[in-house]
Every structure is written in C-alpha cells, then in structure tokens.
Amino acid sequence: MSDCLVVGGGIIGLSLAYELSRRGMAVTLVEQGEWGGQASSAAAGMLAPLKEFASPGPMVDLGMESLRLYPQWAQELEEVTAGDVQLSLEGLVTVALDEQESEELRAKYLWQKEAGHDVHWVNGKELREVEPLLTERAVAGIYSPGEGHINNRLLLRSLVTACRLQGVTLLSGCVVSGIAAEGGRVVGVETSSGPIRAGHTVIASGAWAGIMMKMLDVAIPVRPVRGQIAAVSSEGIPLRTVIFGKSGYITPKKDGKIVIGATEDESGFQREVTLAGLASIFQGVMPYVPALHAAAFLEAWGGLRPATADGRPLLGPVPGWEGLSLAGGHFRNGILLSPVTAKRMADYLESGESGQIAPFLPSRFLS
Ligand SMILES: Cc1cc2nc3c(=O)[nH]c(=O)nc-3n(C[C@H](O)[C@H](O)[C@H](O)COP(=O)(O)OP(=O)(O)OC[C@H]3O[C@@H](n4cnc5c(N)ncnc54)[C@H](O)[C@@H]3O)c2cc1C
C-alpha cells in the first residue's frame, strides 16, 4: 500500500508525485489516459504571474514564489532525466495600442512597482527596441525582464521520467470510478484496474475534480473553461520576446514555433477547435506583429482549464473526509504554479500544517 495516491497525471499530479517521492514517500499516480494528455499539454507554457494577476494578493505571491522556484526545479529535472525543458526567463512585454489601454496598464505597473517587482514602464520606441517586430501602433507598455516560458510538453515528459526513476508507481490508462471510504476516512479509489489503497489520496484531476468530489457528495465546484490555441512557424519571423496584448499572446518558442492564443470559452467538456475560436485567436494577435500575416500555420488544439468560482486553486484537505486532499483548480496558470503547488502540498502532507495553503483551502467553498 502506498503512503500517498495521486489521481490525475497532468502537470499538477506529476509534480506532486515527484516531490512526495523525493521526500521518501511511497507514491502511486493514476491517469485515465496519457500522461499530461489534457490541459497540461495544451498549455502555452507561459510563466507570467505579473501579467496574469490583476491586483496584489495571494495569487501574485504564489505565482512569484513559483517563478523563483523554476530555475532550480528545471535544472534538477534536466539533470535527473538528461533532457532539456527549454526554460526561458528572458522577459516579456505587455503592450498598449492606444491611450486608454495605456492608462489601464499604467495603473497595473504602478502597484507592481510599488510592491517591489522588477517591471519597467516603456514607451513605444523602447518597446520596439526590446522587440523590433512590434507594430508602430504600440504606444507604451510594461517590460518585465524576469518572466518567460517553458516547453510544457518537454517538462511533462521529464516529470514522467523523473517519477519513474524515483520509484513512483505509474498507472496510465487507469480510470478512477469511485472513491473508497470507511466511515469518514478515504482509504483509496476504485479503478478500471481494480481497487487501489493508500494512506492518503490526493485528487489532482484537473477539470474533472468537481465530478470526483460529487462521488462523495462534496460540492466543490470546478468547471472546464476551454482554451483554443495555435502554432505558426517562426521562419522569417525572428521574434525575441513574448508579447501580451489586450486579447491574446504571442510566444516565440525555442523549437521553431510561435504559439499564439488563446480563447476562453465554455462548452462543457468539449475541447475541439472551432472556426470562431481560430478567428478570435488570429484577430487578437495580428495587430501586434504585422509580420504574422505571412506566418505559415502549423497546428491548433484545445484544452480544458480547471476553473474555480474565485479564480484561486484548491489546495489542501477536503472537509469531512480524513485522508483526502485536493490539488487543482489552477485555471490559466497550472504550469506556472506546479513547483509551488508540489512544494506546499508536500509540506502540508508531511506536517499536517495548513498555514502555507490557507488562502487556497477547499473549505472556503463549504459552509
Ligand atoms: C489553451 C491553454 C493555454 C494555457 N496556457 C497556460 C500557460 O501559458 N501557463 C500556465 O501556467 N498555464 C496555462 N494553462 C493552464 C494549465 O494548462 C492548467 O492550469 C494545468 O494544465 C492544469 O493541470 P492539471 O494537472 O490540474 O490538469 P490536467 O492537465 O487536465 O490533468 C488532469 C488529469 O486528470 C486525469 N483524470 C481526470 N479524471 C480522471 C479519472 N477519473 N481517473 C484517472 N484520471 C483522471 C485527466 O485525464 C488529466 O490528464 C493553459 C491551458 C490551456 C487550455
């Protein structure tokens, strides 16, 4: 019997399983499909807490801590697995195309600066020095030199290898169909391959976490928010920097692709790419980099972000049930938040202390 069973082999489940195993626990990780086959491989891999969170508070703090953890986390995974994860923390720009957008951005810049973050207010000319392919229409923006991106698909591959080398029991193609409880204590799960028992069970099943909570009549809502996203070839478009605009982002990757995205639309558990979705992605980004009009289209895909009602993740014990925790609801930022989630959840599971995860406890949704 494992000390800990983790349900869901996305970035969150894999990161947590690896961290717990590093700390000496016997861990089993169960995934219904392929490792990272859902939201985690659909992501753009952006590591951008200052761009993502609109106001100061626990999300910015969590995101910044995770960003700080990334270089060592990535280096360790690269050493352990002898594979590159293409971490790039070389900065990004958030761009305003008119005075109104500029005013909105400026307000954001001011609180970030006051909080001591490494951000710079830049005018249109300076923006084009950072990124020469930016449109002449760019009037001002925020340059944030410490944010960036990673190749999330390579990161997932590395984590699977690292878990395997660390001795995690990895079960893919194994569907969890029920949660096993004795009295008020969860003792494991029922699966398509039979029962699995463990000292503690962590649900890290992404957009499906709410469904799993319903198995125990616990009403913690997690809903899928589709993201449609595309890649074009970087040939002839030598972008240097990640660009965020009002309704889209442009990420030059190290593998010859430029990833552009993404929609936020709700269609239940459907993750198809629609023509409306594609149109909105391309219309959202082309004004920022005119050279993109000539880009060769490569592919488009969709994924389901796990969203909570207040935009914060769910980390920690499930009230009313001993031996059961949640690690999910990371919405647009699960790749960014994976190292800090693994660390804080592992700290909690080792010590029983929930102070570090207090703003994210699932109990906030239960009266
Ligand atoms: C288009 C798009 C772009 C994004 N861009 C970024 C970005 O740039 N930066 C960033 O930080 N984040 C980004 N995100 C968000 C990020 O992808 C998610 O927050 C993150 O992947 C969530 O990870 P997860 O492990 O919780 O979920 P998932 O990756 O969805 O993993 C959950 C796993 O649980 C499994 N599962 C579900 N039910 C069961 C069951 N019954 N039995 C067994 N297994 C089960 C699923 O098969 C799945 O593999 C993006 C998301 C999308 C869709």
Side-chain angles (χ1 to χ4, degrees):
M1 186 170 97
S2 297
D3 300 319
C4 191
L5 164 67
V6 181
V7 177
I11 192 77
I12 298 300
L14 283 161
S15 302
L16 179 59
Y18 176 59
E19 181 64 22
L20 292 172
S21 183
R22 277 171 87 224
R23 296 184 187 203
M25 288 194 202
V27 182
T28 298
L29 178 61
V30 179
E31 164 57 42
Q32 66 183 353
E34 292 172 18
W35 301 115
Q38 292 290 337
S40 300
S41 53
M46 222 86 76
L47 307 176
L50 294 173
K51 162 65 191 72
E52 279 292 308
F53 304 118
S55 50
M59 288 309 295
V60 180
D61 298 344
L62 191 72
M64 289 306 290
E65 183 184 339
S66 211
L67 187 65
R68 281 192 291 276
L69 291 173
Y70 245 103
Q72 202 188 331
W73 168 252
Q75 189 185 339
E76 179 183 324
L77 285 169
E78 286 183 342
E79 280 168 12
V80 168
T81 65
D84 186 8
V85 295
Q86 297 179 351
L87 176 68
S88 166
L89 294 178
E90 288 153 19
L92 56 84
V93 291
T94 308
V95 175
L97 294 186
D98 59 38
E99 286 311 321
Q100 194 190 330
E101 283 180 22
S102 172
E103 263 174 45
E104 287 164 18
L105 265 190
R106 177 89 188 163
K108 189 175 188 184
Y109 161 77
L110 289 174
W111 71 252
Q112 291 181 340
K113 196 73 193 165
E114 196 175 313
H117 297 300
D118 185 13
V119 285
H120 306 265
W121 185 250
V122 280
N123 63 28
K125 183 169 165 288
E126 290 161 335
L127 272 173
R128 282 181 292 279
E129 280 163 18
V130 177
E131 179 46 75
L133 293 185
L134 253 183
T135 172
E136 290 288 322
R137 286 176 57 203
V139 293
I142 302 174
Y143 173 50
S144 168
E147 296 179 279
H149 56 95
I150 194 162
N151 186 323
N152 41 299
R153 293 182 187 176
L154 292 182
L155 177 64
L156 286 162
R157 201 186 299 167
S158 257
L159 277 166
V160 175
T161 306
C163 282
R164 188 167 288 130
L165 292 171
Q166 194 63 47
V168 175
T169 302
L170 291 167
L171 303 171
S172 60
C174 178
V175 183
V176 170
S177 53
I179 297 178
E182 288 172 5
R185 177 166 193 88
V186 167
V187 293
V189 293
E190 312 303 338
T191 79
S192 52
S193 313
I196 302 175
R197 298 293 177 254
H200 198 99
T201 301
V202 181
I203 304 300
S205 55
W208 294 264
I211 295 176
M212 228 158 258
M213 286 298 97
K214 275 195 196 145
M215 292 172 179
L216 292 173
D217 274 338
V218 176
I220 296 179
V222 178
R223 66 180 205 285
V225 175
R226 179 167 57 181
Q228 303 179 50
I229 181 166
V232 298
S233 168
S234 65
E235 210 175 320
I237 310 172
L239 279 168
R240 295 180 188 163
T241 313
V242 176
I243 300 166
F244 277 93
K246 200 173 170 64
S247 50
Y249 53 75
I250 304 166
T251 319
K253 294 289 192 175
K254 288 185 175 175
D255 60 0
K257 290 180 183 163
I258 300 173
V259 173
I260 56 180
T263 68
E264 259 182 42
D265 57 284
E266 302 204 23
S267 243
F269 284 87
Q270 290 183 330
R271 53 175 197 163
E272 293 82 0
V273 175
T274 63
L275 281 187
L278 276 182
S280 96
I281 297 170
F282 294 126
Q283 282 159 10
V285 298
M286 286 195 302
Y288 294 86
V289 175
L292 279 176
H293 284 83
F297 175 77
L298 295 176
E299 56 175 327
W301 62 94
L304 301 173
R305 304 180 186 92
T308 60
D310 61 5
R312 292 187 192 177
L314 295 156
L315 307 179
V318 176
W321 294 96
E322 286 291 307
L324 183 68
S325 292
L326 269 169
H330 292 78
F331 192 39
R332 292 171 54 96
N333 288 289
I335 308 298
L336 165 70
L337 297 174
S338 55
V340 78
T341 296
K343 179 178 179 301
R344 292 202 191 182
M345 281 299 295
D347 288 348
Y348 162 68
L349 292 168
E350 270 187 342
S351 69
E353 289 292 320
S354 60
Q356 280 193 339
I357 47 176
F360 313 108
L361 289 172
S363 56
R364 70 189 187 277
F365 288 115
L366 301 170
S367 52

